[in-house]
Amino acid sequence: MVDITIDIEKCSGCGLCVEICPNEVLDWQQINGKRFPGPVSTQDCSACMTCSGKCPEKAIAIHQPPPLKRYIDDENKTPFEPLPSEKKEVYQTYTQRLENILKLRWKPVAITLIKQGAPLPHVPVPRERLRYCQSLIMARRGLSMLMPMESHACPDGASILGLAKVPPKLASGEIYVQLGKLATQEAAAQMVKERPMLPERSVRATLVTPLDNPVMEPDVIAIIAPPETMMWLCMSSTYYTGTRKLFHMSSYNAQCVETTLYPYLNKEMNLSLGCYGCRAISDLDESMMFMGIPRQMMPTVMEGLSFLGKKAIPDARSKIYLPPMV
């Protein structure tokens, strides 16, 4: 269970933490005859750090105990079947081609949404709860992690991806107004209404790995890179058709909705500019954006990229049309 400590010597009693807690873990309490916020249901705390991050006095500390198990595959009722070596080689080839042609700085990420009832792979769970977007950032650095519901720190992302029930303040959009992300309750309700969500508790765990070290067949491949890289990937997908792409972006719930769920549900690649949460909680700089590519599209993207890599990409990057500077 998460331990929440509020330093009443620092606390000003503003009550912001009570208002913005998505799981309603905090409420008003009487301490030494004075009114202060305090934890009333720590069992519901997801360690999203919203209260501690937004506290103007920095009076709140969240302490997470380590997980009971680093590996939970021993709970499987049916044995997990590893990905065949020939399929691993396909994704390793994809990675090599992406890295060699596009000169990626970060590894492409394989994302799998493991359905309820499916066996779990032998992949470690994180030592602390993480937001889903944080797991993608860590996977691009070469780490693999399995995240059941109890490993997810963001209740918004966890409910969107089908791991849990959406808390009332998030279902109504109220918290987006409280955090200053949207102007009115009506605007927040509209944003929530438009975003897709998987059915409640339809997903058992999220799995992210570097694409060159897959454990399961990925549902979506995520690329985190500058806009120029995304341009080439978009061109690669239409190399044979010349059609224009339509992307769904709002900069709300970027990694869970835009990078993962749209490609997963629509079987089409999607771009994301990122969102408040993923940029506030990670080391992503302003030059990076995101793309999710459904597994089914990867052969088309890879073939188009191979042809663009022979002439178009090197020509553009060498600035062959730049006039001489006199």
Side-chain angles (χ1 to χ4, degrees), residues 16-148:
L16 178 63
C17 57
V18 175
E19 292 179 9
I20 64 175
C21 176
N23 292 329
E24 301 182 81
V25 173
L26 304 172
D27 204 348
W28 292 105
Q29 298 179 344
Q30 290 291 327
I31 303 175
N32 298 328
K34 294 184 178 180
R35 192 166 176 255
F36 290 100
V40 293
S41 56
T42 52
Q43 72 276 7
D44 296 326
C45 179
S46 61
C48 68
M49 314 302 282
T50 301
C51 61
S52 59
K54 299 292 283 187
C55 176
E57 308 301 332
K58 304 301 179 188
I60 305 175
I62 308 292
H63 303 282
Q64 300 186 54
L68 296 176
K69 300 178 183 178
R70 284 288 278 160
Y71 296 90
I72 54 176
D73 55 301
D74 57 354
E75 299 174 0
N76 293 341
K77 295 180 181 178
T78 55
F80 175 78
E81 295 185 9
L83 194 65
S85 57
E86 60 269 20
K87 288 196 173 183
K88 284 189 175 184
E89 290 174 3
V90 170
Y91 297 115
Q92 289 166 353
T93 300
Y94 287 169
T95 301
Q96 292 170 0
R97 200 174 301 175
L98 287 163
E99 291 179 339
N100 292 340
I101 297 174
L102 295 173
K103 311 300 181 191
L104 295 181
R105 181 179 179 186
W106 307 107
K107 287 187 174 295
V109 177
I111 300 168
T112 306
L113 304 180
I114 303 175
K115 293 182 174 64
Q116 284 290 351
L120 299 174
H122 189 69
V123 174
V125 301
R127 296 184 184 279
E128 292 187 350
R129 286 176 179 251
L130 297 175
R131 292 175 181 246
Y132 174 69
C133 48
Q134 286 178 306
S135 73
L136 294 184
I137 301 305
M138 296 177 73
R140 73 172 182 157
R141 294 179 178 274
L143 299 177
S144 298
M145 65 193 67
L146 178 72
M147 291 172 57

Side-chain angles (χ1 to χ4, degrees), residues 21-24 154-156 159 164-173 195:
C21 176
N23 292 329
E24 301 182 81
C154 176
D156 218 0
S159 57
K165 182 177 181 179
V166 59
K169 285 186 179 181
L170 292 170
S172 68
R195 73 186 184 190

Side-chain angles (χ1 to χ4, degrees), residues 242-260:
T243 55
R244 290 185 173 270
K245 307 295 288 187
L246 295 175
F247 298 119
H248 295 270
M249 294 187 284
S250 73
S251 295
Y252 296 98
N253 313 121
Q255 302 321 309
C256 44
V257 170
E258 296 175 354
T259 304
T260 304

